Amino acid sequence: IQKALKDTRPPSLPSFPIIGSILSLRSEHPPHVLFQELQKKYGETYSLRMGSHDVIIVNSHQHAKEVLLKRGKTFAGRPRTVTTDILTRDGKDIAFADYSATWRFHRKMVHGALCMFGEGSASIEQIICREASSMCQALVELQSTAVDLAPELTRAVTNVICALCFSSSYQRGDCEFEAMLQYSQGIVDTVAKDSLVDIFPWLQIFPNKDLKILKQCVTVRDSLLQKKYDEHKAEYSDDTQRDLLDALIRAKRSAENNNTSATPSLGLTDDHLLMTVGDIFGAGVETTTTVLKWAVALLIHHPQVQKKIQEELDSKIGMNRHPKLSDRGNLPYLEATIREVLRIRPVSPLLIPHVALADSSIGEYTVGKGARVIINLWSLHHDEKEWKNPEIFDPTRFLDEEGSNLCCPSESYLPFGAGIRVCLGESLAKMELFLFLAWILQRFTLEVPPGQTLPDLEGKFGVVLQPQKYKVCAQLRPCWAENQTDG
Ligand code: HEM
Ligand code: PLO
């Protein structure tokens, strides 16, 4: 029996004490690419040791779906790591919190609060369109010069999530916004990268530059969150619920008033509330902004794709009104382009690690309780068995033969994950990506500035896969400019 059990473990990389360092040090490739390469030697699913943990790497959609869907609940845990514990006060958030009643409760609460914005005067659609309009105005002023669009894209995306979380927004050049940009980049650069401290926690006793940056950035973030929280508590009224933070405060107060013995397990402490809203705010800013930056970079590389989107926009919307969510069904080429951006450059190429909460299995392999499971979304999205020329950016792979209906040519596509840990912001992100891109491309053509090279498409690995900085020229389209003067 012992032998049979042993044989069903996934193939294992040679286990050296320092194997963890291959993640960040030993290879010229980023981890998602290295893990994809290692399949050649070890097969689609294999294991390695990082510090004292077993880590299973999954590179196929069959096994990924087993982990996320079929045995979703068994694999719903999250590892605790040094860096995410600093960010989330020991996992008091949603994304990096282990499976628990508190996690479930907070996830449900946020889900409910986000759904609530579906209707009403300040619907999500109106908020996004307001920010799209303001962004496009800013782009008119920057027109024809070589600029980094990132600050304007980020401000638009930030203001959407600010409206939903805090009912606030930032003007151009706002100091608090500049501070937010800085701390958030510092966090993205240093958190959850499987750096050596996450693998060998005892390394914390040595001076570590990244850890110092992370702590400084988290301090700045926490004081910003605390300020929003204090303001909201002072202005709180049971009669109105303006935003997510109001919803969280209401839940806390009502639990306190009902003061039952169940209350502590819900985890409605100040820390939990702050970390939950911090997660949504952080995810709301960094993910969507990153996708927009990839989309712009890829569109500059593929002017013919941009032109086709513009033709579709011209014929289905024209120049006399702005794009709306109800246009989504009529703009399949734009939707297909968004899908293709999310395929070729997934925001989160390794998802967030999952942990087995009990002894279990993946395919024919047994997996022990406590094992960490990394789903390599990069491998799923670049699998040659599933995608024709996976390295080529081609939106038409998501369209049927006539090009008029969306389709999904492969099951090996999970940009938002799946199952009980699936992304909480999927529908919000899709609305934003659609509206922002439609607004921009209706008005502007994006080009590489004269004499400059095309943006690098490799990306910097981190908790999100970000493109390198690049400059763009946004030219007002002649047909739009003419229409504006006529109007
Ligand atoms: C988790 C993708 C936007 C909130 C995730 C995961 C992925 C993902 C892959 C991890 C799933 C897993 O570990 O199995 C994306 C992409 C986005 C996006 C591609 C943009 C295009 C957003 C936005 C929000 C958000 C806008 C906020 C409203 C979250 C949260 C989690 C999560 C809270 C953690 C869920 C949990 O662990 O229970 N997302 N996301 N995401 N996302 Fe997103
Ligand atoms: C981004 C930097 C912020 O300052 C803090 C933050 C909070 C939530 C994180 C987010 C960062 C990165 C993207 C994450 C998100 C939770 C879910 C999302 C990890 C670190 C994804 C893509 O999984």
Side-chain angles (χ1 to χ4, degrees):
I1 293 169
Q2 274 264 302
K3 186 169 186 296
L5 267 178
K6 206 171 161 210
D7 285 344
T8 57
R9 298 270 165 178
S12 170
L13 262 65
S15 162
F16 304 117
I18 16 180
I19 196 78
S21 58
I22 57 164
L23 277 182
S24 41
L25 302 175
R26 278 286 186 84
S27 167
E28 79 239 55
H29 296 301
H32 52 279
V33 178
L34 175 64
F35 288 155
Q36 186 191 25
E37 289 295 309
L38 287 170
Q39 279 185 89
K40 290 186 192 135
K41 199 161 167 199
Y42 298 96
E44 285 174 344
T45 299
Y46 52 84
S47 73
L48 49 87
R49 299 248 333 149
M50 288 207 290
S52 54
H53 306 283
D54 272 329
V55 183
I56 318 260
I57 314 288
V58 170
N59 293 286
S60 72
H61 71 91
Q62 290 87 353
H63 283 180
K65 285 188 178 166
E66 257 192 67
V67 171
L68 300 174
L69 294 166
K70 194 169 160 203
R71 284 191 263 291
K73 218 169 158 180
T74 311
F75 288 105
R78 295 285 197 211
R80 286 190 54 181
T81 69
V82 173
T83 56
T84 57
D85 274 359
I86 292 171
L87 179 67
T88 65
R89 302 190 182 167
D90 303 330
K92 295 193 180 65
D93 69 327
I94 297 177
F96 301 108
D98 203 356
Y99 183 83
S100 69
T102 305
W103 164 79
R104 238 179 311 137
F105 179 72
H106 280 258
R107 206 184 138 105
K108 243 196 184 137
M109 222 169 20
V110 170
H111 187 77
L114 290 178
C115 288
M116 201 196 69
F117 280 97
E119 308 120 35
S121 58
S123 71
I124 294 186
E125 175 167 21
Q126 279 169 311
I127 295 168
I128 302 171
C129 287
R130 184 185 72 204
E131 294 309 323
S133 164
S134 146
M135 170 177 63
C136 288
Q137 260 164 17
L139 296 189
V140 172
E141 284 160 40
L142 301 169
Q143 219 211 130
S144 312
T145 50
V147 281
D148 179 3
L149 288 186
E152 279 310 317
L153 297 175
T154 313
R155 197 169 62 88
V157 173
T158 304
N159 279 345
V160 172
I161 203 70
C162 261
L164 299 182
C165 289
F166 310 125
S167 319
S168 64
S169 71
Y170 293 119
Q171 299 292 314
R172 270 165 97 185
D174 190 310
C175 305
E176 192 178 288
F177 176 66
E178 302 294 331
M180 191 281 290
L181 283 184
Q182 223 187 1
Y183 83 65
S184 204
Q185 190 59 50
I187 294 175
V188 169
D189 289 341
T190 53
V191 81
K193 287 208 304 189
D194 278 313
S195 55
L196 287 174
V197 275
D198 283 338
I199 299 161
F200 306 111
W202 46 265
L203 280 177
Q204 281 175 94
I205 55 172
F206 300 110
N208 177 321
K209 200 167 122 251
D210 275 7
L211 218 51
K212 197 169 155 211
I213 296 173
L214 176 63
K215 284 178 182 161
Q216 279 167 350
C217 290
V218 168
T219 307
V220 180
R221 178 185 92 139
D222 286 354
S223 62
L224 188 145
L225 292 176
Q226 188 67 50
K227 191 178 119 203
K228 302 276 186 212
Y229 189 36
D230 293 341
E231 286 167 2
H232 271 66
K233 276 196 291 195
E235 292 161 16
Y236 180 80
S237 142
D238 271 329
D239 311 325
T240 55
Q241 186 174 305
R242 297 163 296 173
D243 45 47
L244 176 65
L245 195 44
D246 273 351
L248 295 174
I249 295 173
R250 168 180 295 188
K252 180 170 162 65
R253 297 205 176 186
S254 100
E256 281 162 357
N257 291 339
N258 295 335
N259 201 0
T260 63
S261 55
T263 312
S265 76
L266 297 179
L268 283 158
T269 64
D270 288 343
D271 275 1
H272 280 98
L273 259 53
L274 277 178
M275 295 301 109
T276 292
V277 76
D279 243 23
I280 302 305
F281 185 59
V285 173
E286 292 300 335
T287 54
T288 313
T289 310
T290 299
V291 186
L292 287 174
K293 290 187 215 167
W294 279 122
V296 172
L298 288 157
L299 288 173
I300 301 177
H301 272 262
H302 300 273
Q304 75 289 3
V305 172
Q306 197 177 164
K307 192 151 164 270
K308 281 197 86 165
I309 300 174
Q310 287 174 331
E311 284 165 8
E312 191 179 63
L313 287 164
D314 294 351
S315 79
K316 303 285 173 50
I317 297 179
M319 304 284 153
N320 296 321
R321 66 173 183 87
H322 66 70
K324 295 184 295 212
L325 280 183
S326 56
D327 295 313
R328 257 169 95 177
N330 292 324
L331 297 164
Y333 193 82
L334 175 56
E335 281 284 327
T337 307
I338 294 170
R339 287 191 187 182
E340 178 67 346
V341 172
L342 290 169
R343 180 192 70 82
I344 202 159
R345 289 296 176 271
V347 173
S348 186
L350 301 176
L351 309 187
I352 301 173
H354 288 244
V355 168
L357 298 169
D359 285 341
S360 187
S361 65
I362 304 176
E364 69 272 36
Y365 301 126
T366 51
V367 172
K369 178 177 172 180
R372 300 181 176 190
V373 181
I374 292 180
I375 307 289
N376 191 354
L377 192 61
W378 181 269
S379 290
L380 267 67
H381 285 187
H382 291 84
D383 187 341
E384 283 179 351
K385 294 191 296 301
E386 298 287 333
W387 306 94
K388 208 171 123 197
N389 301 323
E391 303 315 318
I392 293 176
F393 179 72
D394 176 16
T396 62
R397 64 172 91 241
F398 286 103
L399 292 171
D400 65 5
E401 273 173 16
E402 293 94 70
S404 45
N405 286 304
L406 282 163
C407 65
C408 201
S410 166
E411 283 183 61
S412 196
Y413 183 67
L414 295 173
F416 296 93
I420 66 171
R421 284 282 183 171
V422 70
C423 176
L424 252 182
E426 176 169 355
S427 69
L428 171 63
K430 284 178 171 164
M431 290 188 240
E432 291 188 74
L433 294 173
F434 172 79
L435 287 170
F436 284 137
L437 288 171
W439 276 70
I440 296 174
L441 294 171
Q442 185 187 33
R443 291 161 179 74
F444 301 93
T445 298
L446 306 167
E447 287 162 356
V448 60
Q452 298 229 11
T453 49
L454 284 164
D456 184 75
L457 294 180
E458 211 191 312
K460 289 182 286 181
F461 176 80
V463 66
V464 289
L465 181 69
Q466 292 178 324
Q468 302 282 354
K469 271 208 175 91
Y470 59 87
K471 288 197 171 166
V472 194
C473 231
Q475 300 278 17
L476 207 53
R477 297 177 64 202
C479 51
W480 179 265
E482 247 165 56
N483 180 64
Q484 295 302 291
T485 16
D486 292 353

